[in-house]
Amino acid sequence: AAGMAAPTMEERKACWGARDEFWQCLDRHGDDAAKCEKLRRAFESRCPQQWVKHFDKRRDFLKYKKKLETEGYHPPEAAGKS
């Protein structure tokens, strides 16, 4: 993947496309990453490393937010468990 150079529009599109496919796969398989390994590798190879980290965090955040919206807020029973 590109170093710290800003990705071109084409590269950004390739990255976002790979991310979307990977995320859709996760959605279909209940976040079973093993079923989406090929798409994960494509995502990692098309996106700068920093972006991959950012998108992983973003997905966790979005999942958490959705959970709150559907189930309401429950204080974590096992604090410190990630």
Side-chain angles (χ1 to χ4, degrees):
M4 290 317 291
T8 64
M9 192 62 212
E10 288 307 301
E11 288 168 333
R12 287 203 296 271
K13 279 190 185 139
C15 169
W16 292 331
R19 176 203 61 190
D20 291 347
E21 280 179 34
F22 174 55
W23 283 12
Q24 280 163 9
C25 178
L26 288 177
D27 290 341
R28 277 198 309 274
H29 294 291
D31 278 313
D32 182 351
K35 293 214 164 64
C36 305
E37 212 176 310
K38 256 190 356 216
L39 291 170
R40 170 81 198 180
R41 281 201 297 270
F43 167 49
E44 287 180 354
S45 70
R46 292 198 185 119
C47 298
Q49 187 58 47
Q50 284 305 107
W51 290 28
V52 170
K53 283 197 193 112
H54 167 77
F55 286 140
D56 284 346
K57 282 201 196 96
R58 176 113 186 102
R59 183 172 168 84
D60 287 341
F61 171 74
L62 293 172
K63 272 177 16 201
Y64 175 71
K65 221 175 92 174
K66 192 185 218 152
K67 196 173 172 215
L68 289 186
E69 283 161 9
T70 54
E71 299 171 16
Y73 176 73
H74 302 296
E77 282 115 74
K81 187 181 152 286
S82 62

